[in-house]
Amino acid sequence: MCPGYADNDQGVTVPPWKIKVVEPIALGPEPERRRALETAGYNTFLLRSEDVFIDLLTDSGTSALSQEQRAAMELGDEAYAGSRSFFRLEQAVRETYGYRHVIPTHQGRGAEHLLAKVLVEPGQLVPSNLYFTTSRVHVELAGGVWTDVSIPEAEDPESTHPFKGNLDLAALERVLAAAAPERVAFVRVEACLNMAGGQPFSLANLVGVRELTRTHGVPLILDATRISENALFIKDREAGHADSTLAGLIREIADLADGAVFSSKKDHFVPIGGLLAVNDDDLAERVRELVVVYEGFPHYGGLAGHDMEALAQGIHESTDERIVRHYVSQSAYLAGLLLERGIPIVVPVGAHAVFLDAKRFLPHVPQEEFPAQALAAALYLAGAVRSMERGIVSGQRGNDPYDGLELVRLTIPRRVYTQEHLAYVADIVTDVYERRELVPGFQMVYEPAHLRFFQARFEPRAPFLEPPREKSRAAAVR
Ligand SMILES: *Cc1c(COP(=O)(O)O)cnc(C)c1O
C-alpha cells in the first residue's frame, strides 16, 4: 500500500482530502417525487436537480474542485489569443500525456466532432471497443461506419474477465485486412469502457492494437476520458506493472496512440472542458482550421481562461494515485453492499460506476419495454436517487430485436459523496429489488431524432411501484 493513506476494516480507502465547502441536499416526500417523475416523462435526465437527493446520473462535470484548482482559476488569463492559461494547459498535457499538439474544446464531444470531420470520409470504418454515444454519432454524421471489435466478454455482465475493455485482436485484424488503409478512418480504443461497465483494457492488448494499426497504416486514437482509472486497473491487475507509478502508466498508454480525445469533465475534475491532443503536425493544422469555425480560437476552444487553469491543475491531480484509488474504491464499496444482498450487477466492478443488470433485476420486463429505463425511474421514486439508463434507449433508435446489455448506471461523482451517501443508495436499490414485481415495463411516447436517451419520454404500462390496489385498501381498512 502507498504511504499516506490507510484502509479501514471494510476495505474502504480513506479519502486523501477533507471537505471545506458543502452544498445542502434534501429528500422530498414520495408524492412530490412521483409528480416530479411524471413531469419528467419517467426520464431521469429530465428531472430537476433540486428534486434529486443523491445524484448518480453521471460522473461528468460533477466532481468537486480542489482548493488548488479554485486558486488557479483566479489566475485565468481571459485574453482572446495567446492566453497564458492556454500555454499552462498545453504544458500540463505535454508533461502528462506527451502529445505535442493540444486543442482545447468546450467538452469531449467538441473534440470528437473535430476529429470526425478531419479523419472520417463517407463509408470509412471506425473499429472500436463497443461505442460511446457521442463518439459514434459524430462518426456517423461524418458518414463513417462504426464497427464493434470488442471482445465478446464486454457484453457479458457475468463474465469476470479482468480486461473487458480489450479489443478482439483477431476481429480487428480481419477488419483491417479487408479494408485498411483506404476504408478505415481510425481505430478507436476507449479507456475504462463505459458501455461495458467501466471496464479497462490491458497494456498488452493496447500494444497488440498498436502493432496492427501500424502494420495496416491507420491512426490509433484513444478515447482517454478515463485513462487514469484504466492505468490504475493495469497496475493492480496486469502482471509486471505493480511497481509502476500511475503517472508512468498513464504516459505508457498515451505513448501507444497517435492522439487522444478527452472529456475533461471526468478524470480531470472540471465542470466543463475537453481536449483533442495529437502528434501529427498536419492533422493538428487541419483541426485548428476547423476549431475556429466550431469552438473558438485555438487558444481557448470554447473555454474560459479560468476553465483552462482548473483543467491544467486537474490533469496533474488525475495522476495522483491516492486520489484515483480512493475514487475507484467508492464504486467497489457500493458494489460490495449490493453483491452481499444478492442484487445483480456487472462484474468485475468498473471504474466510475456500479451498473445494475436490469435484465436480471426485472426479469418480468421484456427488453422492448425498456427495463433499465423503468428501473432508473423506480430508484428515483423510491429514494430520490438519480441514475442513468444504459441499455436499449441509449443503444439505438427504433425497437429492432436487440439483445445487448440493459444496464442502469449508478455513477459516482469524484470527491463528492461520502460512504454514508453510498450506504443510503444501497438501501434504496435493495428496497426496489424487494418490490421489483411492482415495476412494470414502459412505452416510449416521445422519441427524439438524435441521442434519444437524453430527451425521450415514457409512460409505464401499469401502476408504477404502487402496492396492488386490494392490498392498499386492506391496509386502509386496518
Ligand atoms: C463523456 C464522454 C464523452 C463525451 O464527452 P462530453 O464532455 O460529455 O462531451 C466521450 N467519451 C467518453 C468515454 C465519455 O465518457
Side-chain angles (χ1 to χ4, degrees):
M1 290 278 102
C2 287
Y5 68 100
D7 289 341
N8 70 14
D9 48 12
Q10 277 118 36
V12 175
T13 304
V14 177
W17 38 259
K18 60 181 177 174
I19 298 164
K20 177 141 60 184
V21 178
V22 295
E23 177 178 349
I25 53 174
L27 174 63
E30 205 260 10
E32 261 176 35
R33 302 199 296 270
R34 192 175 285 276
R35 252 195 317 278
L37 195 58
E38 281 168 12
T39 309
Y42 292 84
N43 183 344
T44 52
F45 274 101
L46 301 180
L47 290 164
R48 288 173 174 234
S49 82
E50 65 184 7
D51 294 329
V52 173
F53 186 40
I54 308 291
D55 201 346
L56 305 186
L57 182 73
T58 176
D59 63 327
S60 180
T62 53
S63 311
L65 292 161
S66 66
Q67 61 181 2
E68 285 75 16
Q69 284 179 294
R70 296 197 82 104
M73 288 172 80
E74 288 296 316
L75 304 176
D77 176 0
E78 305 300 345
Y80 191 94
S83 161
R84 190 173 58 231
S85 305
F86 168 77
F87 293 107
R88 213 169 273 159
L89 172 61
E90 183 183 61
Q91 195 190 347
V93 173
R94 284 182 178 165
E95 277 173 18
T96 307
Y97 306 109
Y99 300 120
R100 292 198 299 126
H101 299 285
V102 181
I103 294 115
T105 56
H106 74 287
Q107 59 184 81
R109 71 198 69 184
E112 292 171 337
H113 176 215
L114 298 176
L115 188 74
K117 281 228 173 260
V118 168
L119 281 188
V120 180
E121 301 288 340
Q124 281 188 323
L125 308 180
V126 177
S128 176
N129 45 356
L130 297 182
Y131 72 98
F132 187 81
T133 50
T134 57
S135 318
R136 187 174 70 185
V137 86
H138 281 298
V139 163
E140 289 175 351
L141 287 171
V145 180
W146 200 267
T147 308
D148 176 31
V149 287
S150 59
I151 57 170
E153 288 85 348
E155 287 200 281
D156 176 359
E158 294 178 72
S159 156
T160 56
H161 193 296
F163 293 106
K164 287 185 183 178
N166 280 356
L167 268 61
D168 180 335
L169 296 179
L172 178 63
E173 181 152 39
R174 275 196 300 279
V175 171
L176 295 179
E182 293 81 18
R183 290 198 302 111
V184 176
F186 61 93
V187 172
R188 171 186 177 277
V189 178
E190 180 179 325
C192 277
L193 183 57
N194 181 58
M195 281 294 165
Q199 307 289 335
F201 53 71
S202 68
L203 204 54
N205 186 257
L206 191 63
V207 168
V209 174
R210 169 78 288 179
E211 281 165 9
L212 285 174
T213 51
R214 195 169 276 143
T215 307
H216 290 275
V218 298
L220 170 56
I221 304 290
L222 283 176
D223 185 328
T225 295
R226 296 189 180 85
I227 190 173
S228 297
E229 290 115 18
N230 201 119
L232 186 66
F233 282 128
I234 289 173
K235 182 174 161 88
D236 289 350
R237 293 180 187 171
E238 191 168 356
H241 299 293
D243 296 330
S244 308
T245 64
L246 193 67
L249 277 169
I250 289 170
R251 182 58 183 269
E252 254 184 89
I253 295 170
D255 277 348
L256 286 166
D258 298 300
V261 168
F262 295 83
S263 167
S264 294
K265 302 173 69 170
K266 283 82 170 211
D267 277 2
H268 297 154
F269 309 101
V270 287
I272 198 73
L275 297 167
L276 181 57
V278 296
N279 280 327
D280 185 76
D281 298 341
D282 178 55
L283 180 61
E285 272 321 303
R286 284 156 65 212
V287 172
R288 287 199 187 98
E289 282 168 13
L290 285 180
V291 76
V292 292
V293 178
Y294 292 105
E295 301 281 325
F297 194 73
H299 289 165
Y300 71 88
L303 297 176
H306 64 246
D307 293 332
M308 291 190 284
E309 292 285 349
L311 176 45
Q313 172 62 27
I315 288 172
H316 292 305
E317 291 172 19
S318 77
T319 68
D320 183 333
E321 182 176 333
R322 297 174 316 149
I323 294 177
V324 180
R325 191 175 288 287
H326 168 260
Y327 176 61
V328 170
S329 82
Q330 286 204 307
S331 296
Y333 169 72
L334 175 58
L337 295 180
L338 297 177
L339 284 171
E340 269 170 21
R341 301 168 195 189
I343 291 165
I345 65 168
V346 174
V347 289
V349 182
H352 61 298
V354 176
F355 290 71
L356 304 174
D357 184 356
K359 283 185 180 173
R360 281 185 291 150
F361 201 115
L362 301 177
H364 56 285
V365 180
Q367 194 162 20
E368 315 80 79
E369 296 182 8
F370 313 112
Q373 192 76 39
L375 179 53
L379 297 177
Y380 175 73
L381 185 60
V385 172
R386 174 152 70 169
S387 57
M388 185 193 291
E389 192 267 8
R390 289 276 94 150
I392 194 171
V393 183
S394 304
Q396 58 171 39
R397 257 183 82 74
N399 277 341
D400 307 337
Y402 177 74
D403 64 356
L405 291 170
E406 185 69 23
L407 308 178
V408 169
R409 194 178 77 180
L410 299 163
T411 335
I412 319 282
R414 291 170 181 76
R415 310 192 285 211
V416 170
Y417 290 119
T418 64
Q419 199 173 324
E420 294 97 312
H421 292 117
L422 299 179
Y424 170 82
V425 171
D427 287 347
I428 296 303
V429 176
T430 309
D431 169 39
V432 173
Y433 192 59
E434 284 166 358
R435 296 191 286 151
R436 59 191 177 279
E437 269 96 55
L438 303 178
V439 179
F442 279 179
Q443 63 190 50
M444 196 183 294
V445 294
Y446 165 63
E447 178 175 12
H450 297 293
L451 300 177
R452 64 183 186 172
F453 60 95
F454 282 128
Q455 298 179 88
R457 302 181 72 85
F458 302 84
E459 274 171 12
R461 292 172 171 271
F464 193 68
L465 207 59
E466 279 172 12
R469 263 221 175 120
E470 313 76 68
K471 242 196 199 163
S472 53
R473 237 185 262 128
V477 169
R478 238 182 281 135

